[in-house]
Amino acid sequence: MSIQAMLRVERLTKTYGTAAGPLTVLHEASFELEAGASMAIVGPSGSGKTTLLGLCAGLDRATGGSIDLAGERLDSLDEDERARVRNESVGFVFQNFQLIPTLTALENVLVPLELRGERGCEPQGRELLERVGLAARADHYPVQLSGGEQQRIALARAFINRPKILFCDEPTGNLDGDTAGSMVELIFGLNRERGTTLVLVTHNFELAGRCQRILRLRNGAVASDERTPGAA
Amino acid sequence: MNFILKMAWRDSRASRRRLFLYSLSVVLGIAALVSIGSFSANVRQAIQAEAKGLLGADLFVTAPAPLGAPVTDYLGSLGGEVSREQMFSSMMTFPEANRLRLVQVHAVEGGFPFYGAFETDPAGAPGRLRAGGNVVILEPTLLAQFGLRVGDRVKLGTTLFTVIGAVRKVPGESPGVAMMAPRAYIPMASLAATGLAGREALARYRAMVRLPAGRDPDGVIREMKERFPAIRLSFETVEERKRNLGRALANLDGFLSLVGFVALVLGGIGVSSALHAYVREKIATVAVLRCLGASARQSFAVYMAQGLALGLAGACAGGALGVAVQKGLPALVRGMLPISVDFFVSWPALLRGTGAGVVICLLFSLLPLLSVRRIPPLAALRSAVAERVGMAPDPWRLAIIASIAAAIAGFAVWQTGKISVGLGFAGMLGLGFGVLLGLAHAVAWAARRFVPRGLPYVVRQGFANLHRPNNRTVLLLLSLGLGTFLVLTLFLVRTTLLREIQGSGAAGRPNLIFFDIQDDQIDPMERVASAAGSPVVERAPIVTMRIGSVRGVTVEKLLANKGAGLPDWTLRREYRSTFRGRLSSTEKVVEGAFVGRADPGAGPVPVSVEEGLAREMHLHIGDEIDWDVQGLPVRSRVGSIRAVEWRRMEPNFFVVFPEGVLEGAPKTYVAALITASPADSARVQRAVVDQFPNVTAIDLGLVVETLDGIFSKVAFAVQFMALFTVATGLVVLAGAVLTGRHQRIRETVLLRTLGATRRQVALIQLVEYAVLGMQAAVVGGLLAVAGNALLARFVFHIPATASIGQVAAAVAGVAVLTVATGFIAGRGVVDHPPLEILRQET
Ligand SMILES: Nc1ncnc2c1ncn2[C@@H]1O[C@H](COP(=O)(O)OP(=O)(O)O)[C@@H](O)[C@H]1O
Ligand SMILES: [Mg+2]
């Protein structure tokens, strides 16, 4: 593994046991991503994008193969150790936002820091909310926010722990064009400011085009892996 | 830690109204536990007070000789109160009628009775008796027989006594004693003047003792046996009297323990179904927390903190509600109570209920909360968590299930005070749990496999809800099924016990006894009684006899040799035996076989001996006893040993001979009648005694009434506790159905968004709840029938009764309740605009 690789995936396989027998949804996928780089994962629905992303972020266990994330061998860690890695190094943005409905916007943003037992982190949270343009909504609950606003809160939450790598699963999939556009600007803007490595799953070719690399999945296997000419 | 508390607090903030709904279930469960426990304590206390009234004291100490100074000093030193009594038979003269009659004299002194009341007619008589002087209170039959009135004189020994009243009811007397001879109560101080003191044969001397609070009579008995080994003392306690009343009181105890146990499990069902639903709702939040790097332990701790707070708050509120019910309910039902029960808040019951409630809350909430540890972060990516195939069983889960089982069994043993019974309760519950769990899985499986495609859409959806991810099949079948099982078991046991108690009561039992009827008087006497409106319902010949020898050793030798181990009274007494061809309805052979007819020439006569006597005399089947039947020797052997229900008023006997042996011996008869009212009783007595002056009548009406009073109290206790627990159980079950309503909200809303009408949505829910409700009710009902049979057989020792109609009605009731509650719960969901809920739930 090269020194500067942030994420290295080797022969990654995921098989689900289903009522109708085992179902392999990811088949020996391999790639490597250096620190600070950005990569889009594209492919038809059901091709295994979310599965791959979830495995890379340590949200699930692979059936075979290995993942190195920020210098740690994910497949050799147990669930709680992976939770620590997620908390220290990973940010995650979901297609359906996944804010905790019972917490205010600010509280949602602060969860990763408070999980570590950090105190006095409120200013940091407000600063990030300011950065995503929602300082005024800090005390609102998710139900009081629009989809775009919720996703911006989710992005603020993903950046609060200064992650080394940010995973986004169709971050704009639930947003309209304009809102999606400003969301994309925010993602790349924050990414650049903080030197974060970025992996995102998208159907949006404009968004994919702004990444340095595009990984195509088909039926759970890597179909192609290419550099984009006009990478941001 | 800081994060955990902060998160627990913040997370609870927004869902507090819903949390309130859940805590309602917890509160109901614990309130049930507390108020049922407290009511049980009330009822136990009321029955105990009544039972104390049977004896009138905590302890009787009786001896065939005057109790010496050491004994009386010891009794005095106990710190309670002591009364004395001396009893003997003597002739009483009735100068006005110029007649004599054998009476049982009771010379009394002191404040007895300490519990219950000495009732007389007129009411003031006991006070005058205590004040002393030559006064006497007589058995009412004597007044009737000799036409005496208050103020008339009777003569005992050499002294004239003024009649001051008639006995109505006096604690301490057992009906058997009342049957021996009519009673006459005089002050102890007046005894000396009669010249009878000290001369009478077979006198008994008794101290009636009231013990200071908290002193255990059995402990006193043990100590006295140690201190005075040489004095032949016999003891009687309230507990013993209760035992003599038959199984009714012991069974009440068992029943109340069962009630407590059922309350605990109902509480557990309330708590766990609420928390289970709550945790399910929190899966998404936990998954997000996990994605953000919370460890399994941290997310578990967040919800554990909430669960604990819920449990503690629920326990406090439940305790308070329990007290409120305890305070409020009696006021509501007081007018309807057939008897008076003092309702009070039993603090021990409150503490125990709340304590048990917290423990149960903790254990039952740990179970659903444990699954929080296993919510994968992936659940944030895919909302429906796929079934986790091949996941190793969680050792913690097993440990908690084991502790719940241990806690329940421990509580059951604690409640019942008997290891076998407690474990039996817990085992029954475990069995029911297993059956229902199996059923739940079978139902889910069948719903997946066998629902015909031809059915209407809503019906298929309803069935599909039984097996789809996030289904409530297991939870509802378990809570409803177990609830039905327990509540219905309780109800059936109630019926079984009430039937038994009714059988013990006075209805259809003789309440007037005539004895000393001569051989040639019995038939004309029956005709007189019939003519007076109360026919004889039972008659028995009585042959008096004494024991000549036991197992070949003569009575003289046995008496001379104190070490023989046979109590004197068994050897000296005059036995009033009967002969007949069959057992009476109050008797049951416990050993050997009853022989109804014997040939006097064919060896020793097989006789049936009463259980208690057999124990005292160490008699076994085949032992020989020689009888002296008024000069004629009769050799017998013990052919059978009988248990006799002495509490029943029919003439009962220590020894029953077969027909064919004693017919020629001099005999008298005893006849039993049923009279409808005291006036009827007086009329029959007068008619009979007028014609046959030698015949004695004993009116058992009041004795029977006393016993009936106790039995009606027991019956009330059983009835009240059963119905109260059943009602509570239904509320808890309704709560269990209600708490799960949010689980289906999203789907329902989505269906509505897709154009389903409210009717369709409601029908889908109806099908789901109807299937679950019916299955739970039917299986719970079957389990209850089995439970009732087992309890009747092994705990209450009486035949089980279960009416098909009752079971069917209860089963239908539970099914309807489930559907109705499910329907009402669903309405809230159906009536909301979908948009609002969609936004809330995302
Ligand atoms: N828990 C599971 N059990 C069985 N199959 C699953 C499970 N989760 C996902 N799959 C299957 O894996 C495949 C890939 O899913 P996913 O990674 O979500 O695709 P994408 O994100 O590219 O649309 C799909 O065909 C899906 O049906
Ligand atoms: Mg996907």
Side-chain angles (χ1 to χ4, degrees):
Chain A
M1 168 173 156
S2 54
I3 305 297
Q4 65 274 51
M6 175 58 65
L7 177 64
R8 198 167 99 124
V9 171
E10 227 168 87
R11 299 168 71 87
L12 194 64
T13 299
K14 177 72 186 176
T15 304
Y16 286 110
T18 67
L23 176 70
T24 299
V25 299
L26 202 61
H27 189 66
E28 306 216 328
S30 304
F31 64 89
E32 204 176 302
L33 190 64
E34 63 274 27
S38 60
M39 178 171 90
I41 302 175
V42 300
S45 179
S47 55
K49 304 182 295 292
T50 299
T51 307
L52 177 59
L53 199 70
L55 287 173
C56 292
L59 298 183
D60 198 5
R61 245 177 208 287
T63 316
S66 67
I67 302 166
D68 290 280
L69 180 76
E72 307 226 33
R73 198 48 205 267
L74 281 191
D75 40 303
S76 66
L77 300 182
D78 71 15
E79 207 346 86
D80 277 343
E81 287 166 330
R82 286 207 301 271
R84 177 185 49 79
V85 173
R86 284 199 296 273
N87 187 253
E88 285 169 0
S89 316
V90 175
F92 211 106
V93 175
F94 304 87
Q95 177 174 2
N96 51 356
F97 325 139
Q98 293 292 9
L99 295 182
I100 295 175
T102 52
L103 301 185
T104 62
L106 179 62
E107 285 165 359
N108 260 293
V109 172
L110 293 180
V111 165
L113 293 186
E114 288 187 330
L115 264 176
R116 298 181 192 167
E118 277 182 32
R119 279 158 194 280
C121 41
E122 222 185 280
Q124 260 173 283
R126 290 196 184 276
E127 192 186 319
L128 259 173
L129 278 179
E130 182 116 21
R131 175 71 184 81
V132 299
L134 287 172
R137 315 296 295 270
D139 295 325
H140 289 196
Y141 285 97
V143 285
Q144 297 167 305
L145 301 171
S146 74
E149 287 162 345
Q150 288 191 43
Q151 193 64 306
R152 271 142 72 197
I153 303 286
L155 190 64
R157 182 177 68 184
F159 273 103
I160 190 86
N161 59 343
R162 307 196 158 272
K164 296 189 184 118
I165 182 164
L166 177 69
F167 293 96
C168 305
D169 189 6
E170 305 195 30
T172 58
N174 280 354
L175 303 176
D176 64 84
D178 283 352
T179 319
S182 59
M183 189 67 209
V184 169
E185 290 312 322
L186 267 177
I187 291 176
F188 282 97
L190 277 163
N191 201 42
R192 206 169 27 243
E193 285 164 26
R194 305 187 176 216
T196 313
T197 312
L198 177 67
V199 180
L200 57 81
V201 167
T202 187
H203 285 300
N204 182 331
F205 282 103
E206 190 204 328
L207 180 51
R210 292 185 61 169
C211 295
Q212 294 159 347
R213 275 167 69 188
I214 297 184
L215 189 81
R216 272 174 218 285
L217 282 188
R218 183 160 297 132
N219 292 329
V222 177
S224 70
D225 180 358
E226 49 202 52
R227 297 200 163 265
T228 50
Chain B
M1 190 64 207
N2 193 24
F3 165 76
I4 288 161
L5 289 182
K6 219 187 296 183
M7 182 66 202
W9 172 252
R10 285 176 181 165
D11 183 69
S12 77
R13 205 177 32 194
S15 52
R16 235 163 257 168
R17 203 188 305 158
R18 200 168 301 171
L19 213 57
F20 176 73
L21 180 70
Y22 295 131
S23 59
L24 213 59
S25 280
V26 178
V27 169
L28 279 178
I30 291 173
L33 200 58
V34 167
S35 52
I36 288 172
S38 190
F39 276 130
S40 281
N42 291 178
V43 163
R44 264 184 230 264
Q45 174 129 335
I47 300 285
Q48 183 65 18
E50 194 84 355
K52 277 185 167 185
L54 279 180
L55 198 64
D58 292 308
L59 176 66
F60 278 4
V61 182
T62 313
L67 298 166
V71 173
T72 41
D73 288 351
Y74 169 78
L75 290 176
S77 75
L78 291 174
E81 201 176 341
V82 184
S83 237
R84 289 194 304 141
E85 183 174 36
Q86 187 175 335
M87 292 156 286
F88 57 91
S89 302
S90 173
M91 286 317 246
M92 178 172 271
T93 315
F94 299 85
E96 248 118 304
N98 197 20
R99 291 252 297 280
L100 279 172
R101 168 124 225 92
L102 187 73
V103 297
Q104 175 84 7
V105 178
H106 294 250
V108 295
E109 178 188 81
F112 181 83
F114 308 118
Y115 312 108
F118 188 170
E119 287 178 22
T120 57
D121 196 8
R128 293 180 62 189
L129 190 76
R130 253 172 241 132
N134 292 340
V135 293
V136 63
I137 299 175
L138 290 178
E139 190 85 49
T141 54
L142 291 175
L143 297 176
Q145 194 172 354
F146 299 109
L148 293 173
R149 257 173 313 226
V150 169
D152 288 350
R153 304 290 189 90
V154 295
K155 198 171 174 186
L156 264 179
T158 55
T159 313
L160 277 173
F161 283 81
T162 307
V163 176
I164 55 169
V167 179
R168 273 173 55 83
K169 222 162 130 178
V170 55
E173 287 299 340
S174 52
V177 173
M179 280 167 59
M180 307 262 292
R183 292 162 294 180
Y185 286 86
I186 60 167
M188 180 87 82
S190 312
L191 183 58
T194 61
L196 295 171
R199 290 206 288 116
E200 66 290 339
L202 292 174
R204 284 176 302 149
Y205 300 81
R206 172 176 291 170
M208 291 88 100
V209 187
R210 180 176 63 75
L211 293 173
R215 190 76 193 245
D216 170 32
D218 289 324
V220 173
I221 293 176
R222 243 174 284 123
E223 203 174 319
M224 288 187 78
K225 280 183 175 160
E226 256 169 46
R227 276 185 188 225
F228 314 111
I231 309 178
R232 228 179 56 74
L233 299 170
S234 61
F235 303 93
E236 259 187 287
T237 61
V238 177
E239 286 312 309
E240 208 174 308
R241 276 293 162 100
K242 279 164 73 178
R243 272 198 294 280
N244 286 344
L245 284 179
R247 297 214 51 89
L249 288 182
N251 281 351
L252 176 67
D253 252 20
F255 180 74
L256 290 180
S257 318
L258 179 69
V259 163
F261 179 71
V262 168
L264 180 86
V265 179
L266 283 177
I269 290 175
V271 170
S272 62
S273 59
L275 283 167
H276 189 89
Y278 184 68
V279 167
R280 280 223 167 163
E281 242 176 68
K282 290 296 176 187
I283 286 179
T285 301
V286 172
V288 174
L289 280 179
R290 299 298 306 279
C291 282
L292 298 176
S295 68
R297 259 193 43 231
Q298 278 174 313
S299 34
F300 171 74
V302 167
Y303 289 96
M304 190 68 232
Q306 279 188 1
L308 261 180
L310 201 67
L312 280 176
C316 294
L321 181 64
V323 171
V325 167
Q326 172 82 74
K327 292 237 185 243
L329 194 64
L332 277 181
V333 299
R334 183 154 289 148
M336 299 179 247
L337 298 189
I339 48 144
S340 73
V341 173
D342 282 332
F343 287 99
F344 56 93
V345 175
S346 161
W347 296 107
L350 178 70
L351 281 182
R352 199 167 39 203
T354 314
V358 171
V359 171
I360 278 294
C361 224
L362 198 71
L363 287 174
F364 272 95
S365 59
L366 273 173
L367 205 54
L369 283 174
L370 269 184
S371 57
V372 165
R373 288 162 51 253
R374 294 209 155 187
I375 295 175
L378 203 64
L381 288 178
R382 300 180 208 287
S383 50
V385 188
E387 281 134 276
R388 272 157 284 158
V389 188
M391 211 154 167
D394 187 347
W396 277 103
R397 195 176 182 78
L398 298 181
I400 285 171
I401 290 175
S403 354
I404 288 180
I408 287 179
F411 184 85
V413 169
W414 183 33
Q415 276 273 321
T416 55
K418 283 199 201 106
I419 291 183
S420 60
V421 176
L423 290 184
F425 282 6
M428 246 172 55
L429 184 72
L431 192 76
F433 190 87
V435 167
L436 285 163
L437 198 64
L439 175 79
H441 287 297
V443 164
W445 180 78
R448 187 159 29 222
R449 291 287 304 270
F450 296 123
V451 177
R453 287 178 190 286
L455 288 175
Y457 174 75
V458 289
V459 177
R460 272 185 290 131
Q461 278 296 309
F463 274 103
N465 275 353
L466 295 173
H467 67 76
R468 285 203 300 227
N470 265 340
N471 68 67
R472 308 229 298 139
T473 304
V474 171
L475 189 76
L476 270 184
L477 271 185
L478 273 183
S479 54
L480 289 175
L482 277 184
T484 311
F485 167 36
L486 293 176
V487 162
L488 190 56
T489 300
L490 209 62
F491 196 75
L492 291 179
V493 167
R494 159 203 161 270
T495 314
T496 299
L497 287 181
L498 287 184
R499 186 139 319 164
E500 171 74 7
I501 292 167
Q502 267 161 19
S504 317
R509 303 268 159 222
N511 55 6
L512 180 62
I513 312 272
F514 288 105
F515 53 96
D516 292 345
I517 308 164
Q518 299 305 308
D519 220 349
D520 56 349
Q521 291 175 323
I522 181 70
D523 292 327
M525 180 261 153
E526 282 203 14
R527 279 194 294 277
V528 170
S530 290
S534 305
V536 168
V537 292
E538 211 175 315
R539 69 186 220 186
I542 291 179
V543 179
T544 56
M545 53 186 72
R546 288 178 182 281
I547 290 183
S549 69
V550 180
R551 288 181 286 259
V553 186
T554 63
V555 165
E556 289 71 29
K557 271 202 195 130
L558 285 170
L559 285 174
N561 166 19
K562 285 241 171 206
L566 304 188
D568 281 7
W569 69 267
T570 61
L571 300 172
R572 284 189 200 275
R573 71 176 284 131
E574 187 180 67
Y575 283 84
R576 306 163 125 229
S577 307
T578 192
F579 57 89
R580 46 180 146 84
R582 52 178 176 77
L583 290 174
S584 82
S585 64
T586 56
E587 299 171 321
K588 207 166 72 190
V589 167
V590 292
E591 233 187 296
F594 184 80
V595 178
R597 202 164 175 92
D599 191 346
V605 179
V607 296
S608 180
V609 179
E610 190 267 336
E611 201 177 19
L613 182 71
R615 204 180 312 121
E616 292 270 346
M617 295 182 71
H618 316 299
L619 289 175
H620 299 285
I621 299 292
D623 282 355
E624 288 195 352
I625 304 173
D626 285 339
W627 299 93
D628 171 3
V629 183
Q630 296 164 51
L632 207 80
V634 174
R635 171 157 295 186
S636 72
R637 73 179 161 76
V638 178
S640 66
I641 292 176
R642 271 169 316 138
V644 177
E645 281 182 68
W646 290 102
R647 75 195 143 116
R648 295 211 175 149
M649 257 34 82
E650 288 94 306
N652 284 311
F653 301 91
F654 277 129
V655 182
V656 176
F657 277 70
E659 288 173 345
V661 182
L662 296 177
E663 277 78 351
K667 57 183 180 293
T668 61
Y669 279 88
V670 50
L673 289 76
I674 302 174
T675 59
S677 67
D680 277 358
S681 175
R683 201 174 58 241
V684 181
Q685 286 183 45
R686 222 168 299 120
V688 170
V689 175
D690 272 354
Q691 284 232 15
F692 314 103
N694 59 298
V695 170
T696 307
I698 292 289
D699 190 338
L700 294 174
L702 282 162
V703 180
V704 168
E705 213 173 86
T706 311
L707 292 185
D708 261 7
I710 293 184
F711 288 129
S712 71
K713 234 173 223 197
V714 173
F716 162 76
V718 169
Q719 183 79 278
F720 177 79
M721 292 313 296
L723 294 185
F724 183 70
T725 312
V726 167
T728 318
L730 294 184
V731 175
V732 169
L733 290 190
V737 175
L738 217 60
T739 46
R741 71 183 196 142
H742 288 279
Q743 215 151 305
R744 288 262 174 261
I745 273 190
R746 246 185 104 79
E747 286 168 54
T748 309
V749 169
L750 281 172
L751 276 175
R752 286 201 57 207
T753 327
L754 296 175
T757 63
R758 289 166 37 154
R759 219 180 98 81
Q760 284 173 315
V761 170
L763 274 175
I764 291 173
Q765 289 182 345
L766 202 67
V767 170
E768 182 183 359
Y769 282 116
V771 171
L772 288 179
M774 249 139 56
Q775 306 259 8
V778 168
V779 174
L782 291 178
L783 284 169
V785 171
N788 176 46
L790 289 175
L791 286 173
R793 172 105 175 65
F794 294 107
V795 176
F796 300 116
H797 306 289
I798 51 177
T801 21
S803 92
I804 307 233
Q806 256 177 13
V807 175
V811 165
V814 170
V816 168
L817 177 88
T818 312
V819 173
T821 318
F823 198 69
I824 292 167
R827 273 178 56 98
V829 179
V830 174
D831 285 343
H832 270 288
L835 182 70
E836 194 181 304
I837 297 176
L838 271 183
R839 284 178 65 94
Q840 245 178 32
E841 296 292 311
T842 323

